[in-house]
Coordinates of all heavy atoms in Angstrom, one line a residue:
Y1 N -0.2 21.1 3.4 CA 0.6 21.5 2.2 C 0.1 20.8 1.0 O -0.3 19.7 1.0 CB 2.1 21.2 2.4 CG 2.9 21.6 1.2 CD1 3.4 22.9 1.0 CD2 3.3 20.6 0.3 CE1 4.2 23.2 0.0 CE2 4.1 20.9 -0.8 CZ 4.5 22.2 -1.0 OH 5.4 22.5 -2.1
Q2 N 0.0 21.6 -0.1 CA -0.5 21.1 -1.4 C 0.5 21.5 -2.5 O 0.5 22.7 -2.7 CB -1.9 21.5 -1.7 CG -2.9 21.0 -0.8 CD -4.3 21.5 -1.0 OE1 -4.6 22.6 -0.7 NE2 -5.1 20.7 -1.7
D3 N 1.1 20.6 -3.1 CA 2.1 21.0 -4.1 C 1.4 21.7 -5.3 O 2.0 22.6 -5.9 CB 2.7 19.7 -4.8 CG 3.9 19.2 -4.0 OD1 4.7 20.1 -3.6 OD2 4.0 18.0 -3.7
S4 N 0.2 21.3 -5.6 CA -0.5 21.9 -6.8 C -1.2 23.2 -6.5 O -1.7 23.8 -7.5 CB -1.6 20.9 -7.3 OG -2.6 20.7 -6.2
L5 N -1.0 23.8 -5.3 CA -1.8 25.0 -5.0 C -1.6 26.2 -5.9 O -2.4 26.8 -6.4 CB -1.6 25.4 -3.6 CG -2.6 26.3 -2.8 CD1 -4.0 25.6 -2.9 CD2 -2.2 26.6 -1.4
P6 N -0.2 26.5 -6.1 CA 0.0 27.7 -7.0 C -0.1 27.4 -8.5 O 0.0 28.3 -9.3 CB 1.4 28.0 -6.6 CG 2.1 26.8 -6.2 CD 1.0 26.0 -5.6
I7 N -0.2 26.2 -8.9 CA -0.2 25.8 -10.3 C -1.5 26.3 -11.0 O -1.5 26.8 -12.1 CB 0.1 24.3 -10.5 CG1 1.4 23.9 -10.0 CG2 0.0 24.0 -12.0 CD1 1.8 22.5 -10.1
R8 N -2.6 26.1 -10.4 CA -3.9 26.5 -10.9 C -4.2 25.9 -12.3 O -4.5 26.7 -13.1 CB -4.0 28.0 -10.8 CG -4.0 28.6 -9.4 CD -4.2 30.1 -9.5 NE -4.2 30.7 -8.2 CZ -5.2 30.7 -7.3 NH1 -6.4 30.2 -7.7 NH2 -5.1 31.2 -6.1
K9 N -4.0 24.7 -12.4 CA -4.5 24.0 -13.7 C -6.0 24.0 -13.7 O -6.7 24.0 -12.7 CB -3.9 22.6 -13.8 CG -2.4 22.5 -14.1 CD -2.0 21.2 -14.4 CE -0.5 21.1 -14.7 NZ -0.3 21.8 -16.0
M10 N -6.5 23.9 -14.9 CA -7.9 24.0 -15.0 C -8.5 22.6 -15.5 O -7.8 21.9 -16.2 CB -8.3 25.0 -16.1 CG -7.9 26.4 -15.8 SD -8.7 27.0 -14.3 CE -7.9 28.6 -14.1
V11 N -9.7 22.3 -15.1 CA -10.4 21.1 -15.5 C -11.8 21.5 -15.9 O -12.4 22.4 -15.4 CB -10.4 20.0 -14.4 CG1 -9.0 19.5 -14.1 CG2 -11.1 20.5 -13.2
I12 N -12.3 20.7 -16.9 CA -13.7 21.0 -17.4 C -14.5 19.7 -17.0 O -14.1 18.6 -17.2 CB -13.7 21.1 -18.9 CG1 -12.7 22.3 -19.3 CG2 -15.1 21.4 -19.4 CD1 -13.1 23.6 -18.7
Q13 N -15.7 19.9 -16.5 CA -16.6 18.9 -16.1 C -17.5 18.5 -17.2 O -18.0 19.3 -18.0 CB -17.4 19.3 -14.9 CG -18.3 18.2 -14.3 CD -19.2 18.7 -13.2 OE1 -19.9 19.7 -13.4 NE2 -19.2 18.1 -12.1
N14 N -17.6 17.1 -17.4 CA -18.5 16.6 -18.4 C -19.9 17.0 -18.0 O -20.4 16.6 -16.9 CB -18.3 15.0 -18.5 CG -19.2 14.4 -19.6 OD1 -20.3 14.9 -19.9 ND2 -18.7 13.4 -20.1
P15 N -20.6 17.7 -18.9 CA -22.0 18.1 -18.5 C -22.9 17.0 -18.3 O -24.0 17.1 -17.6 CB -22.4 19.0 -19.6 CG -21.6 18.5 -20.8 CD -20.3 18.1 -20.2
N16 N -22.7 15.8 -18.8 CA -23.5 14.6 -18.6 C -23.1 13.7 -17.5 O -23.7 12.7 -17.2 CB -23.6 13.8 -19.9 CG -24.2 14.7 -21.1 OD1 -25.1 15.4 -20.9 ND2 -23.5 14.6 -22.2
D17 N -21.9 13.9 -16.9 CA -21.4 13.1 -15.9 C -20.6 13.9 -15.0 O -19.4 14.2 -15.3 CB -20.5 11.9 -16.5 CG -20.0 11.0 -15.4 OD1 -20.2 11.2 -14.2 OD2 -19.3 10.0 -15.8
S18 N -21.1 14.3 -13.8 CA -20.4 15.2 -12.9 C -19.1 14.6 -12.3 O -18.3 15.3 -11.8 CB -21.3 15.5 -11.7 OG -21.7 14.4 -11.0
N19 N -18.9 13.2 -12.4 CA -17.7 12.6 -11.9 C -16.5 12.6 -12.9 O -15.4 12.1 -12.6 CB -18.0 11.2 -11.4 CG -18.9 11.2 -10.2 OD1 -18.7 12.0 -9.3 ND2 -19.9 10.3 -10.2
Q20 N -16.9 13.0 -14.2 CA -15.8 12.9 -15.2 C -15.3 14.3 -15.5 O -16.1 15.2 -15.8 CB -16.4 12.3 -16.5 CG -15.4 12.2 -17.6 CD -16.0 11.4 -18.8 OE1 -17.2 11.3 -18.9 NE2 -15.1 11.1 -19.8
L21 N -14.0 14.5 -15.4 CA -13.4 15.8 -15.6 C -12.3 15.7 -16.6 O -11.6 14.7 -16.8 CB -12.7 16.3 -14.3 CG -13.6 16.4 -13.1 CD1 -12.8 16.8 -11.8 CD2 -14.7 17.5 -13.3
Y22 N -12.2 16.7 -17.4 CA -11.1 16.8 -18.5 C -10.0 17.7 -18.0 O -10.4 18.9 -17.5 CB -11.7 17.4 -19.8 CG -12.8 16.5 -20.4 CD1 -14.1 16.9 -20.3 CD2 -12.5 15.3 -21.0 CE1 -15.1 16.1 -20.9 CE2 -13.5 14.5 -21.6 CZ -14.8 15.0 -21.5 OH -15.8 14.2 -22.0
S23 N -8.8 17.3 -17.9 CA -7.7 18.2 -17.5 C -7.2 18.9 -18.7 O -6.9 18.4 -19.7 CB -6.6 17.3 -16.8 OG -5.5 18.1 -16.4
L24 N -6.9 20.3 -18.4 CA -6.4 21.1 -19.5 C -5.1 21.8 -19.1 O -4.7 21.7 -18.0 CB -7.5 22.2 -19.8 CG -8.9 21.7 -20.2 CD1 -9.8 22.8 -20.5 CD2 -8.8 20.8 -21.4
S25 N -4.6 22.5 -20.0 CA -3.3 23.2 -19.7 C -3.5 24.4 -18.9 O -4.7 24.8 -18.6 CB -2.7 23.7 -21.0 OG -2.5 22.6 -22.0
D26 N -2.4 24.9 -18.4 CA -2.5 26.2 -17.6 C -3.2 27.3 -18.4 O -3.0 27.4 -19.6 CB -1.0 26.7 -17.2 CG -0.4 25.7 -16.3 OD1 -1.0 24.8 -15.7 OD2 0.9 25.9 -16.1
N27 N -3.8 28.2 -17.7 CA -4.4 29.4 -18.3 C -5.3 29.1 -19.5 O -5.3 29.7 -20.6 CB -3.3 30.4 -18.7 CG -2.4 30.7 -17.5 OD1 -2.9 30.9 -16.4 ND2 -1.2 30.8 -17.8
T28 N -6.1 28.0 -19.4 CA -7.0 27.6 -20.5 C -8.3 28.3 -20.5 O -8.9 28.4 -19.5 CB -7.1 26.0 -20.4 OG1 -5.9 25.5 -20.5 CG2 -8.0 25.6 -21.6
L29 N -8.7 28.7 -21.7 CA -10.0 29.2 -21.9 C -10.9 28.3 -22.7 O -10.4 27.5 -23.5 CB -10.0 30.5 -22.7 CG -9.0 31.6 -22.2 CD1 -9.0 32.8 -23.2 CD2 -9.2 32.0 -20.9
I30 N -12.2 28.3 -22.5 CA -13.2 27.5 -23.3 C -13.5 28.4 -24.5 O -13.8 29.5 -24.4 CB -14.4 27.2 -22.5 CG1 -14.1 26.4 -21.3 CG2 -15.4 26.4 -23.4 CD1 -15.3 26.2 -20.4
H31 N -13.3 27.7 -25.7 CA -13.8 28.4 -26.9 C -15.2 28.1 -27.2 O -15.6 27.1 -27.7 CB -12.9 27.9 -28.1 CG -13.1 28.7 -29.3 ND1 -12.5 28.4 -30.5 CD2 -13.9 29.7 -29.6 CE1 -12.9 29.2 -31.5 NE2 -13.7 30.0 -30.9

């Protein structure tokens, strides 16, 4: 079981560091 499964939050990966992620709001688009 995973609580977060239906939430589907988005994260963006730092292009210079694959281990660094930015957490964003639900239904987020990159501008």
Side-chain angles (χ1 to χ4, degrees):
Y1 176 83
Q2 295 175 280
D3 276 317
S4 60
L5 201 57
I7 296 176
R8 295 185 179 276
K9 287 188 178 294
M10 300 298 177
V11 293
I12 304 300
Q13 184 182 53
N14 185 330
N16 299 317
D17 181 357
S18 61
N19 294 317
Q20 184 176 8
L21 302 175
Y22 300 106
S23 180
L24 304 178
S25 303
D26 294 349
N27 305 320
T28 300
L29 311 179
I30 302 173
H31 185 184

